[in-house]
Every structure is written in C-alpha cells, then in structure tokens.
Amino acid sequence: MLAEVKNVIAVASGKGGVGKSTVASNLAVALSNMGYKVGLLDADVFGPSVPKMFQTEGARPVLRKVEGKDKIVPVEKYGVKNLSIGYFVEPNDALVWRGAMATGAIKQLIGDGDWGELDYLLLDLPPGTSDIHLTVVQTISLTGAVVVSTPQDVALADARKGISMFTGEKINVPVLGLVENMAWFTPAELPDNKYYIFGEGGCKRLAEELNVELLGQIPIVQSIREGGDKGEPSALNPDSVTGKAFAELGEAVVKAVEKRNQDLPPTKVVEITRK
C-alpha cells in the first residue's frame, strides 16, 4: 500500500485544542513550497478540519479507474493533495460512528486514495491515543511521528503519553520530534515582544528529558487564526513571521526524516534460486 509514497508522517497530539491540524496543514504547505510532492490525509474522523483549513468545504472527490479499480481522487489546493471524511458528509452533521466504522473509513481513504507519487504524506491523527492510531500503524508503514503540544504542563502531560504510545513495543514508530505551538504571543503592533501566556520552554524541557528533537516553536499570532478560518494557511506567505516559522519547521522535519532514513539498517537482499 502507498508504494509510490516515500515518507508517511503522523502528526499527533496528546490532547485536543493544541493546534495540531493547524500545524499539519501549514507543514504540508511549507513542504510544498520547498518543492516536494505532498499529500495530507485528515484522519481526525470525528473532527475533520482540513476542508476548512484549505477552504475546500464544498469539494466532493470523484472516482477514477486505476488499473481496473475505483480510486478516490484527492482534492488539490496550494500544491497539496488532501482527503478528509469531511468531504463526504454535510458540514453540520455529526458523525456518530462506532470505532470499527471510523477505522474502516480511514483504511478506505488510505488504500483507495489515488495519491500517486508523493515525497511526503502527512496524517492528521485525532487527539489522544485510540484505535484509529492502532489501525494506521497496522495498515501502513510510518516513517515517523511529529507530536504537537503547547508549553503548559497540562498539555505536556498528554504529549508525554503520545510519545510513549509511538515508542512503545506495540506501535514502535520513531518520534521525529516535538513541535511547540502557541509558544508565545506576539502582538502585531509589537512584533519584537514575546508574552509567554502558556509558560516558557515547556516543550524544550520535555524534548530534552525524553531525548527527542524540538523541531520548532510556533507563536500565537492573529494571522494564523485568520488564515485558518479563511482557508489560507500562514505558510503561504514565507516572508511573514509565521510563514518563516512554518518554513523552518518544514526544514527541520526534512532533516529529521533524512537522519531517520540514514540510521535505518541496510536492507538485506535475499537471492532466491529456482530449481
């Protein structure tokens, strides 16, 4: 599955409300700006945000025959191919599904998506630790995971659990690093000022304690919220403060992936001789 996708990265968080989908969407755009072929799968079945983040809420993916099989054509915008369960339900309708139905939908979006050749496929996972996470790691091989948190202790406690989930024996997925979102507040009229509303350096301390990389720190800036609501990710403007922050995050993720791939043991080639 996903034979043409080079790297699959899970974007996760221990708890909701830390801006995981915002980070995933802007990271996807930042990687696309760098010239990579990028896809984004909205695996947050019960709270799909990607259609809103990309202003594609009215889109309805179509089917295309590929080698005799029906494939779902992703919606493409800003150079990013994306699929979400939000494209198949009405925006105001709540999904009341049991776990098996949710995981089945994720499997279909992964396996039946016509993703084509991609350098990076990002998976915007639901917050917490659930059967959807288990389904994803059992369905496809993940290159690694990026965990998003705010610097406050309440969020860090759950981020610790998220990292533990990925590094545990049952899942065993490398954690590429930690992203500190809402690291500080910078008002537009005082661009050099930093106000640490949720505490200072919490993710940095956790990263050092757990021996993982701190991939980036994203400030609270009004333009990020406005861009998310309008469907225009901040990463589209690489010259802005937030655009630079997401561009730096994209570079850090690429370096982490390259390091991870270099650290993999060489593939053993087994010659099979037919008698």
Side-chain angles (χ1 to χ4, degrees):
M1 192 177 292
L2 300 178
E4 295 182 285
V5 178
K6 295 179 182 177
N7 299 288
V8 183
I9 300 174
V11 181
S13 66
K15 68 185 287 95
V18 298
K20 167 186 54 62
S21 294
T22 297
V23 170
S25 299
N26 279 279
L27 176 57
V29 173
L31 291 171
S32 176
N33 289 343
M34 296 167 67
Y36 294 106
K37 297 177 182 177
V38 183
L40 175 60
L41 172 62
D42 189 354
D44 193 349
V45 174
F46 300 107
S49 301
V50 167
K52 181 70 174 177
M53 294 286 180
F54 282 78
Q55 202 179 18
T56 54
E57 293 169 291
R60 292 294 180 265
V62 298
L63 295 178
R64 178 167 59 195
K65 286 284 185 182
V66 179
E67 296 180 355
K69 296 181 180 179
D70 286 331
K71 290 286 188 177
I72 307 170
V73 181
V75 176
E76 187 165 353
K77 193 169 184 180
Y78 307 135
V80 177
K81 296 179 179 180
N82 64 76
L83 278 179
S84 170
I85 198 67
Y87 293 134
F88 302 94
V89 297
E90 292 300 321
N92 295 327
D93 290 348
L95 282 180
V96 186
W97 284 357
R98 293 188 183 276
M101 295 176 68
T103 55
I106 294 300
K107 284 183 177 181
Q108 187 170 8
L109 291 178
I110 294 173
D112 292 345
D114 185 16
W115 296 104
E117 292 185 9
L118 292 178
D119 297 303
Y120 292 95
L121 175 61
L122 306 184
L123 307 181
D124 181 11
L125 294 178
T129 55
S130 67
D131 51 353
I132 289 181
H133 298 74
L134 289 173
T135 296
V136 167
V137 298
Q138 291 169 354
T139 304
I140 54 177
S141 176
L142 294 178
T143 305
V146 171
V147 178
V148 180
S149 178
T150 54
Q152 68 202 86
D153 290 343
V154 171
L156 292 171
D158 290 328
R160 185 189 300 271
K161 295 173 184 175
I163 293 173
S164 174
M165 174 191 69
F166 283 112
T167 57
E169 292 182 3
K170 291 184 179 180
I171 292 186
N172 193 26
V173 170
V175 174
L176 299 175
L178 192 61
V179 178
E180 185 175 76
N181 195 30
M182 310 182 200
W184 58 77
F185 169 63
T186 297
E189 63 274 13
L190 298 170
D192 296 327
N193 288 27
K194 295 180 180 180
Y195 301 95
Y196 297 93
I197 297 175
F198 296 111
E200 183 177 357
C203 288
K204 182 179 180 181
R205 291 191 294 272
L206 181 62
E208 291 173 350
E209 178 186 341
L210 300 181
N211 194 29
V212 298
E213 294 287 334
L214 179 62
L215 295 171
Q217 294 175 297
I218 311 299
I220 304 175
V221 180
Q222 185 174 338
S223 60
I224 296 181
R225 192 273 305 165
E226 291 175 342
D229 288 346
K230 293 179 181 178
E232 300 172 357
S234 298
L236 289 171
N237 183 8
D239 294 328
S240 66
V241 172
T242 51
K244 289 178 181 177
F246 285 118
E248 291 172 359
L249 174 60
E251 292 173 0
V253 168
V254 170
K255 289 180 181 178
V257 169
E258 290 176 348
K259 183 179 183 299
R260 184 262 181 187
N261 291 338
Q262 289 172 357
D263 291 342
L264 287 175
T267 304
K268 295 181 180 179
V269 179
V270 180
E271 294 184 358
I272 301 176
T273 304
R274 293 184 178 180
K275 294 183 180 180

